[in-house]
Amino acid sequence: MIWYILIIGILLPQSLAHPGFFTSIGQMTDLIHTEKDLVTSLKDYIKAEEDKLEQIKKWAEKLDRLTSTATKDPEGFVGHPVNAFKLMKRLNTEWSELENLVLKDMSDGFISNLTIQRQYFPNDEDQVGAAKALLRLQDTYNLDTDTISKGNLPGVKHKSFLTAEDCFELGKVAYTEADYYHTELWMEQALRQLDEGEISTIDKVSVLDYLSYAVYQQGDLDKALVLTKKLLELDPEHQRANGNLKYFEYIMAKEKDVNKSASDDQSDQKTTPKKKGVAVDYLPERQKYEMLCRGEGIKMTPRRQKKLFCRYHDGNRNPKFILAPAKQEDEWDKPRIIRFHDIISDAEIEIVKDLAKPRLSRATVHDPETGKLTTAQYRVSKSAWLSGYENPVVSRINMRIQDLTGLDVSTAEELQVANYGVGGQYEPHFDFARKDEPDAFKELGTGNRIATWLFYMSDVSAGGATVFPEVGASVWPKKGTAVFWYNLFASGEGDYSTRHAACPVLVGNKWGKYFIYSVKRM
């Protein structure tokens, strides 16, 4: 079984939008056009309101001049029969017309458009997902909150800033997830921006309320007490802060008593606070994974590097590649990872895009216990499935890989096209099934995965590497290339050194096309 991956960019038509926008760059680009349409509609509404007010203003100015003259000599003014008639007409008819104009709702067009477009809007899940994506990027690429807030990311074309309110919302998302580490970081950033004089809809009291509790939950009682006192200086009547202050002082007094009653050799000991500076979902392997995503911790030595070469490959004298052999480059030695250069054309990419557009949905993984497909937080992306018979280009791509690898694609399952959206990732995993997962691919009706073929169909501004934590390898996207490695040894045993991960894209777009099937040697 081989696994193909294609990296592409896709723009979805508006009619296909649905929840889960944060998992797909393609769908989010469509939202840009939706918002642009709404802005145009809003400007039309504003123009209509301005025209309406201009009519009312002209009426008011005309009546102001008229009444100013009339009030100077009321009897003389109405003594003129024309003036008397026009006064009756204005009060009986024209003021009613003005009333109707004032009451006329000019927002109907805008509200109607907004109602239609709202069905394509992201929901609460999307907003929370996008917030979590920022936190994930923060951890993976070791970014501080100020760097993110000021938009100082590598390779950015459109710089954007976070307001204090934005930072506060990120902190609230982390708080809801009981992620007090990130709660502290983002509430401190919000507070810092407010202290610098930023005008905001949020106040320091609200920020300090969350911040003090997050700090307490991480075991820093002294800092929690200081922050609570600072909150009470701003709002002495704050009920929760007053309660927390008493509780914190009680705990500190109790700890002090315990220390006093301890023996001499234990008198200097203090209650060990919870470890700070580690994300709530931290895993030992994640440190290696994140370092490799940043381009750190790569374990290729100069001596091993000298044994990596570039060459031309004719697919074991395959007629298709004798006159125009494929360009090969060794990326890694163990496991052996080979990159093929100029292996897929821009035209082929566009056709794959068009075929994938209508079918994207949240990507799934195989539950090793049930063998069924399910979504998972460690894989955040959208995917679509394509068959070789749908288009000759898909079939041609499949045959190209068969010719270059010598692996038969006749039992292949459908091609999977996936898009990693904002902070999208696929955490460290194996492409093959282990011995304790006999039913891993039962639902697919295939055997184990022998090899992985990965097409890169876009360049990524920052991030997006494929990394191998077990061996300290990082492979970076390069448009028009593909990388290939075996997941199984010749004996059929799994090669555990092929455990790999898709790093989240920090700046840019990344798409993947997976093709999974049973194979045999030709």
Side-chain angles (χ1 to χ4, degrees):
M1 179 179 300
I2 286 182
W3 196 332
Y4 297 0
I5 305 173
L6 271 71
I7 306 302
I8 61 178
I10 291 180
L11 176 64
L12 288 179
Q14 187 179 74
S15 61
L16 300 174
H18 52 80
F21 288 108
F22 74 95
T23 64
S24 172
I25 290 291
Q27 288 183 313
M28 284 188 288
T29 58
D30 194 54
L31 289 178
I32 295 294
H33 298 288
T34 297
E35 189 167 43
K36 175 62 177 176
D37 181 65
L38 284 174
V39 170
T40 300
S41 180
L42 179 61
K43 291 172 71 175
D44 290 342
Y45 161 65
I46 293 172
K47 179 66 166 57
E49 288 286 9
E50 288 175 341
D51 291 343
K52 170 182 163 180
L53 288 173
E54 185 63 26
Q55 292 182 57
I56 296 171
K57 181 180 179 182
K58 288 180 179 179
W59 172 266
E61 290 174 347
K62 182 182 73 172
L63 267 292
D64 182 50
R65 292 192 297 271
L66 184 63
T67 54
S68 293
T69 301
T71 52
K72 291 178 181 178
D73 182 12
E75 291 185 3
F77 185 83
V78 295
H80 193 300
V82 172
N83 287 339
F85 165 74
K86 295 187 69 173
L87 175 62
M88 297 301 105
K89 178 176 175 290
R90 282 197 305 274
L91 292 174
N92 183 56
T93 304
E94 295 181 12
W95 274 98
S96 295
E97 293 174 352
L98 178 64
E99 179 183 17
N100 291 334
L101 177 61
V102 171
L103 293 175
K104 185 177 181 180
D105 189 352
M106 311 303 293
S107 67
D108 286 348
F110 170 68
I111 295 300
S112 177
N113 190 25
L114 181 62
T115 301
I116 293 172
Q117 299 288 9
R118 185 173 282 118
Q119 63 184 307
Y120 306 117
F121 279 15
N123 56 22
D124 290 342
E125 179 187 351
D126 292 305
Q127 183 174 334
V128 171
K132 289 181 179 179
L134 270 179
L135 303 183
R136 191 156 52 243
L137 291 171
Q138 178 184 2
D139 290 341
T140 302
Y141 296 104
N142 202 20
L143 303 170
D144 60 66
T145 54
D146 193 60
T147 296
I148 298 175
S149 180
K150 292 180 179 178
N152 295 325
L153 303 178
V156 295
K157 294 181 180 179
H158 309 284
K159 195 171 183 179
S160 185
F161 302 87
L162 291 176
T163 64
E165 183 180 4
D166 293 332
C167 297
F168 180 71
E169 288 301 320
L170 285 170
K172 283 175 62 178
V173 169
Y175 180 87
T176 302
E177 297 292 314
D179 180 1
Y180 301 114
Y181 166 65
H182 284 108
T183 303
E184 178 183 0
L185 293 179
W186 284 103
M187 289 302 172
E188 284 184 335
Q189 180 65 30
L191 187 63
R192 200 156 39 239
Q193 293 180 202
L194 290 175
D195 286 339
E196 291 172 356
E198 180 179 319
I199 305 301
S200 177
T201 57
I202 62 166
D203 54 58
K204 293 182 181 180
V205 170
S206 298
V207 176
L208 287 167
D209 192 16
Y210 280 96
L211 179 57
S212 60
Y213 187 75
V215 168
Y216 162 70
Q217 283 292 332
Q218 294 181 90
D220 194 341
L221 194 57
D222 291 333
K223 184 177 179 180
L225 186 63
V226 170
L227 291 169
T228 302
K229 289 180 177 179
K230 187 175 181 180
L231 189 162
L232 288 170
E233 288 177 3
L234 299 173
D235 183 3
E237 304 301 320
H238 197 283
Q239 186 175 356
R240 184 164 47 251
N242 277 297
N244 287 344
L245 178 65
K246 294 178 181 178
Y247 178 71
F248 294 158
E249 289 175 339
Y250 166 75
I251 294 296
M252 293 184 75
K254 190 174 180 180
E255 288 183 355
K256 186 176 181 181
D257 291 340
V258 170
N259 287 335
K260 283 184 178 181
S261 62
S263 58
D264 293 339
D265 60 334
Q266 295 176 331
S267 60
D268 293 332
Q269 294 183 6
K270 295 182 179 179
T271 302
T272 303
K274 298 177 183 178
K275 185 177 181 181
K276 293 186 66 178
V278 178
V280 68
D281 57 352
Y282 176 82
L283 296 172
E285 183 183 35
R286 178 162 295 168
Q287 183 177 6
K288 290 191 293 184
Y289 156 57
E290 292 178 348
M291 287 181 66
L292 290 169
C293 288
R294 298 192 295 269
E296 305 169 3
I298 299 175
K299 297 181 179 178
M300 178 58 68
T301 63
R303 183 175 180 179
R304 291 165 59 194
Q305 182 75 43
K306 291 179 181 178
K307 298 180 180 180
L308 303 181
F309 298 97
C310 295
R311 68 187 68 81
Y312 287 104
H313 179 64
D314 61 10
N316 295 322
R317 305 294 294 171
N318 187 294
K320 298 177 183 177
F321 295 100
I322 291 177
L323 294 180
K327 303 171 187 175
Q328 274 191 357
E329 177 186 1
D330 293 331
E331 283 280 351
W332 206 259
D333 51 357
K334 294 181 181 180
R336 190 182 183 204
I337 305 173
I338 299 173
R339 187 190 293 266
F340 290 83
H341 290 267
D342 303 320
I343 202 64
I344 189 167
S345 69
D346 290 346
E348 289 171 328
I349 293 173
E350 292 305 314
I351 291 174
V352 172
K353 288 181 184 181
D354 292 338
L355 291 171
K357 285 177 182 178
R359 312 181 190 182
L360 289 177
S361 59
R362 181 66 185 268
T364 57
V365 298
H366 294 95
D367 188 322
E369 295 183 0
T370 66
K372 295 183 178 181
L373 297 173
T374 183
T375 59
Q377 287 301 315
Y378 61 83
R379 187 181 187 187
V380 182
S381 63
K382 274 195 166 66
S383 62
W385 297 84
L386 306 177
S387 298
Y389 64 80
E390 295 183 61
N391 191 283
V393 169
V394 177
S395 178
R396 186 167 69 237
I397 291 172
N398 296 343
M399 291 307 299
R400 183 179 306 154
I401 297 170
Q402 174 173 296
D403 293 337
L404 289 171
T405 63
L407 296 170
D408 187 2
V409 302
S410 61
T411 58
E413 68 176 71
E414 291 184 340
L415 184 85
Q416 184 185 16
V417 180
N419 171 222
Y420 294 88
V422 176
Q425 63 175 0
Y426 197 170
E427 292 184 0
H429 62 282
F430 297 104
D431 283 351
F432 63 90
R434 274 71 68 208
K435 290 182 178 180
D436 59 345
E437 301 172 329
D439 296 328
F441 307 119
K442 182 178 180 180
E443 187 169 295
L444 295 175
T446 65
N448 213 341
R449 294 170 175 168
I450 289 180
T452 294
W453 179 284
L454 160 60
F455 279 108
Y456 291 113
M457 301 182 73
S458 67
D459 294 313
V460 179
S461 299
T466 304
V467 300
F468 297 74
E470 295 297 317
V471 297
S474 295
V475 179
W476 299 91
K478 184 177 180 182
K479 186 178 182 180
T481 71
V483 294
F484 174 78
W485 68 86
Y486 281 97
N487 297 306
L488 305 180
F489 293 114
S491 64
E493 293 292 319
D495 184 353
Y496 284 78
S497 68
T498 62
R499 183 172 173 83
H500 61 286
C503 297
V505 175
L506 180 58
V507 178
N509 300 290
K510 179 180 178 181
W511 289 71
K513 184 175 76 175
Y514 304 84
F515 198 53
I516 309 169
Y517 52 89
S518 300
V519 299
K520 58 184 178 182
R521 282 286 182 182
M522 296 183 67

